[in-house]
């Protein structure tokens, strides 16, 4: 096979880095070669040892000192430097002979997604491998009701629009989620979500239902993997989703 590149995006603290660590460990245990990339110039510590670490090129703390910037300004500047040095990043990825490349993005999602680096990186990675996908990692505690499921689907679609990469949502921290049964129902059974939204009987619920119907029409995957990166649980399900994102063969179960 060619390379399969997975880019992890998501809000700060959703568990991107922990999930990269867990997925890389899982792949290695299955004797599957994997190359890990950290693109967080502000990372203090990482739960894995990246094969490529952006801090060898740009470190947010040094940028802050050098240019006299605060934390946000330093991050924005670091993103610009990263965009200029894109060839180094992408070259390292292209040069690795691993089947899987896991790309961990900056802790602060917005400095990545709202800057040129996001689409420039996506474009460059797609040239390395057409099988480049994104996972949108969210903390499972944000999901309480069907409207939240719609929120998740819309956010993942927004990321997909921005990156131009097929993007699937992943719910992390299920070990700490208040009620995984409700979570399971609404992430696995769109019929139930639609019914609950219909029963709500208001215009807003109606709008969400229509939005979901359209989104799901164009997105292959409905089941959202529920994982605990910290416990290494649900990684097999995540892996199935990653394989499914590319092959176009639908159900792999
Ligand atoms: N309970 C729980 N905590 C987690 C899980 N995954 C990550 N965390 C914790 O959430 C915090 C942020 O994780 P991190 O991977 O650094 O998030 P990132 O900013 O998205 O890279 C850390 O304290 C992690 O230990 C999980 O599955 N369950
Ligand atoms: Mg991180």
């Amino acid at each position: 096979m060619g390379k399969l590149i997975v880019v992890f995006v998501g809000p700060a603290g959703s568990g991107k880095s922990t999930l990269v660590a867990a997925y890389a460990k899982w792949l290695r245990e299955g004797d599957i070669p994997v190359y890990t990339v950290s693109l967080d110039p502000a990372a203090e510590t990482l739960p894995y040892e990246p094969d490529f670490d952006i801090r060898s090129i740009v470190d947010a703390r040094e940028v802050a000192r050098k240019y006299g910037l605060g934390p946000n300004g330093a991050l924005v500047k670091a993103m610009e430097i990263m965009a200029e040095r894109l060839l180094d990043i992408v070259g390292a990825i292209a040069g690795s002979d691993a089947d899987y490349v896991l790309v961990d993005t900056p802790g602060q999602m917005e400095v990545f997604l709202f800057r040129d680096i996001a689409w420039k990186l996506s474009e460059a990675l797609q040239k390395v491998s057409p099988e480049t996908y994104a996972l949108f990692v969210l903390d499972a505690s944000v999901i309480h009701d069907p409207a939240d499921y719609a929120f998740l689907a819309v956010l993942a679609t927004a990321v997909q629009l921005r990156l131009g990469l097929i993007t699937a949502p992943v719910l992390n921290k299920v070990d700490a989620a208040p009620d995984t049964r409700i979570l399971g129902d609404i992430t696995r059974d769109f019929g139930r979500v639609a019914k609950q939204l219909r029963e709500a009987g208001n215009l807003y619920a109606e709008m969400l239902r229509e939005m979901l119907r359209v989104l799901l029409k164009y997105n292959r995957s409905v089941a959202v993997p529920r994982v605990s990166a910290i416990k290494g649980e649900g990684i097999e399900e995540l892996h199935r989703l990653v394989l499914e994102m590319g092959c176009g063969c639908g159900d792999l179960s």
Side-chain angles (χ1 to χ4, degrees):
M1 65 180 260
K3 268 191 211 321
L4 215 151
I5 304 176
V6 186
V7 182
F8 292 71
V9 280
S14 59
K16 300 178 289 294
S17 300
T18 312
L19 193 53
V20 165
Y23 194 14
K25 180 167 177 274
W26 187 89
L27 288 167
R28 288 201 181 101
E29 281 168 3
D31 283 328
I32 301 171
V34 54
Y35 188 81
T36 54
V37 177
S38 166
L39 295 185
D40 188 352
E44 299 264 351
T45 55
L46 287 170
Y48 60 98
E49 261 185 54
D51 296 303
F52 178 90
D53 189 338
I54 193 66
R55 290 172 300 179
S56 67
I57 290 178
V58 53
D59 185 303
R61 270 165 302 269
E62 278 169 27
V63 170
R65 220 173 301 125
K66 188 171 165 197
Y67 297 92
L69 296 166
N72 287 335
L75 271 176
V76 168
K77 182 74 190 164
M79 293 304 121
E80 285 168 21
I81 297 171
M82 269 164 68
E84 284 161 16
R85 299 288 296 272
L86 201 58
L87 278 181
D88 296 313
I89 301 168
V90 175
I93 293 172
S96 83
D97 47 19
D99 299 340
Y100 285 79
V101 178
L102 308 185
V103 181
D104 189 9
T105 58
Q108 307 287 340
M109 173 177 80
E110 65 274 25
V111 295
F112 175 70
L113 278 181
F114 295 174
R115 303 272 144 196
D116 286 352
I117 180 71
W119 63 265
K120 283 184 176 165
L121 178 75
S122 304
E123 267 185 17
L125 290 178
Q126 279 178 301
K127 281 185 191 138
V128 174
S129 169
E131 287 207 79
T132 300
Y133 308 111
L135 290 176
F136 184 63
V137 184
L138 263 189
D139 187 324
S141 64
V142 300
I143 305 292
H144 297 289
D145 60 24
D148 287 331
Y149 178 76
F151 169 71
L152 180 71
V154 170
L155 275 181
T157 306
V159 172
Q160 174 155 332
L161 285 172
R162 178 66 181 150
L163 295 180
L165 298 176
I166 293 175
T167 304
V170 178
L171 286 177
N172 185 33
K173 307 196 188 183
V174 291
D175 59 282
D179 186 339
T180 51
R181 188 188 57 78
I182 293 173
L183 205 62
D185 282 354
I186 65 176
T187 54
R188 279 178 171 68
D189 185 350
F190 175 65
R192 204 183 296 236
V193 177
K195 185 163 172 282
Q196 288 184 36
L197 287 171
R198 199 163 45 240
E199 282 165 0
N202 59 51
L203 209 57
Y204 175 65
E206 183 60 25
M207 179 193 76
L208 288 179
R209 207 159 62 89
E210 280 295 307
M211 272 165 57
L212 274 179
R213 200 180 50 73
V214 173
L215 293 182
L216 295 172
K217 186 174 161 195
Y218 295 99
N219 284 291
R220 214 171 287 135
S221 167
V222 180
V224 180
R226 296 174 297 150
V227 303
S228 167
I230 216 155
K231 293 189 171 175
E233 287 168 9
I235 307 299
E236 197 171 333
E237 193 190 346
L238 176 76
H239 184 63
R240 266 204 305 275
L241 168 75
V242 167
L243 293 177
E244 201 178 294
M245 282 168 93
C247 71
C249 52
D251 188 22
L252 284 180
S253 57

